[in-house]
Amino acid sequence: MNAKILDGKKLQDKIAVELKKEVAGLKTVPNLAIVQIGEMPQSSAYIGMKKKFSEKIGAKVHHIILPLGVDQKGVFSVIDELNKRKDIHGIIVQLPIPKHLDRYQIMEAIDPSKDVDGLHSKNSALVYESAYGGKDQKNIPEGLVPATAKGIISLLKENKVKIGGIKTLIIGRSLLVGKPTAMLLLKENATVTVAHSKTKDLNKLCKENDIIIVAAGKAGLIGKGALKKGQVVVDVGTNAVKGGKTLEEHEKIKLVGDVVFKEAEKIVGAISPVPGGVGPMTVASLFQNLLKAYNMQV
Ligand code: NAD
């Protein structure tokens, strides 16, 4: 039997309906500023998806494109102005940014209450603290959580995947995906293991876990040798690969995850596809964050 599909597009549509209703009831229009440095085609495609979703729910996107060679000061002055503007409620600097810029300092320059990507240290600390599991955990605000991590949890919950007490493996330890996802899963009482590029016997580790979140950015990393019956697999990876049977198809770029979908779907209990799984959830969660930021400011 084939695995159940964890359909991110379907859930995105559901969230869009909810957000549209919420936006319609607000006095002003929530406005997301997206700062793009250079015009990498992949980044432009992601920004396009955000604009499309924003239109769908009645929010606004203010897209600023800075030249590839802009220096740190130039980026700071744009962020500074956006921080001050009352009509801007969320700010993101589209990642990745050129190597000559300091990503940490740039994230720190964003007003934490407008940091809808959740990468300012103040928001990271809240994600970390609110997951500690003590009696007063509920008193600690969650802050703004990185959208992909938030989207993964929503996708699992929507599909009624049991998380509490479940052995869960996250492959990848980045600030953007792996670590915040680990924190949110701990908050849901999962038993969490984090694997990374130096982890040994990854396939064996995978088989010891019942939920696997794969966020390594390595096409084909997880195949049948790592999987067992009944597992829930969330594939975060997005890899642009060339391929296809015919010569024409061979030249075409297509998007694949880190999991060999054709092998996995025959073994596991549920799996998120690429595209159509975590990607749409990241966009929807970003706009949930924008509404949260709006409500913190207005
Ligand atoms: P990253 O490069 O910052 O981190 C990758 C992580 O994977 C690292 O912690 C590394 O140690 C680990 N890793 C690499 N090779 C490994 C291996 N062979 N075995 C085990 N671990 C390994 O990347 P990121 O920003 O966390 O993104 C990860 C992937 O998720 C990328 O493909 C990215 O495009 C994708 N992504 C998708 C969305 C979405 O909305 N669908 C959002 C963010 C990121």
Side-chain angles (χ1 to χ4, degrees), residues 34-145:
I34 303 180
V35 181
Q36 182 179 14
I37 303 168
E39 288 187 73
M40 269 170 58
Q42 189 83 338
S43 293
S44 300
Y46 288 137
I47 293 169
M49 288 175 204
K50 290 166 189 171
K51 284 183 177 170
K52 206 169 148 197
F53 188 82
S54 155
E55 273 170 31
K56 214 170 168 179
I57 65 162
K60 276 200 277 196
V61 166
H62 176 50
H63 183 190
I64 300 163
I65 303 174
L66 301 178
L68 197 61
V70 68
D71 63 6
Q72 192 94 347
K73 262 192 181 165
V75 182
F76 284 158
S77 81
V78 170
I79 292 176
D80 197 38
E81 195 205 317
L82 294 170
N83 282 341
K84 286 180 189 142
R85 276 177 62 171
K86 292 254 182 301
D87 65 324
I88 296 287
H89 308 97
I91 304 169
I92 65 173
V93 176
Q94 185 68 39
L95 298 173
I97 56 174
K99 287 205 164 52
H100 68 276
L101 298 169
D102 184 329
R103 188 190 53 81
Y104 175 76
Q105 295 298 342
I106 288 174
M107 296 304 135
E108 290 302 285
I110 298 173
D111 175 345
S113 66
K114 295 188 179 187
D115 168 40
V116 287
D117 255 349
L119 294 172
H120 188 285
S121 60
K122 194 175 165 200
N123 283 313
S124 304
L126 287 175
V127 176
Y128 181 95
E129 285 173 37
S130 68
Y132 91 112
K135 277 199 186 105
D136 59 347
Q137 176 173 292
K138 62 179 180 335
N139 300 335
I140 302 170
E142 201 178 64
L144 291 161
V145 177

Side-chain angles (χ1 to χ4, degrees), residues 1 24 85 108 125 176 218:
M1 209 178 75
R85 276 177 62 171
E108 290 302 285
L176 197 63
K218 295 272 176 301

Side-chain angles (χ1 to χ4, degrees), residues 46 148 171-178 195-199 202 214-218 221 235-239 258 278-280 282-283:
Y46 288 137
T148 304
I171 305 175
R173 58 175 162 181
S174 72
L175 284 175
L176 197 63
V177 189
H196 46 79
S197 53
K198 302 283 187 288
T199 298
L202 188 62
V214 196
K218 295 272 176 301
L221 180 66
D235 191 356
V236 187
T238 44
N239 309 289
D258 291 349
V278 175
T282 298
V283 177

Side-chain angles (χ1 to χ4, degrees), residues 210-245:
D210 299 308
I211 300 176
I212 308 178
I213 317 283
V214 196
K218 295 272 176 301
L221 180 66
I222 299 301
K224 58 184 176 202
L227 301 168
K228 65 175 181 182
K229 228 176 136 189
Q231 276 172 325
V232 174
V233 178
V234 177
D235 191 356
V236 187
T238 44
N239 309 289
V241 295
K242 272 189 180 178
K245 282 183 188 130

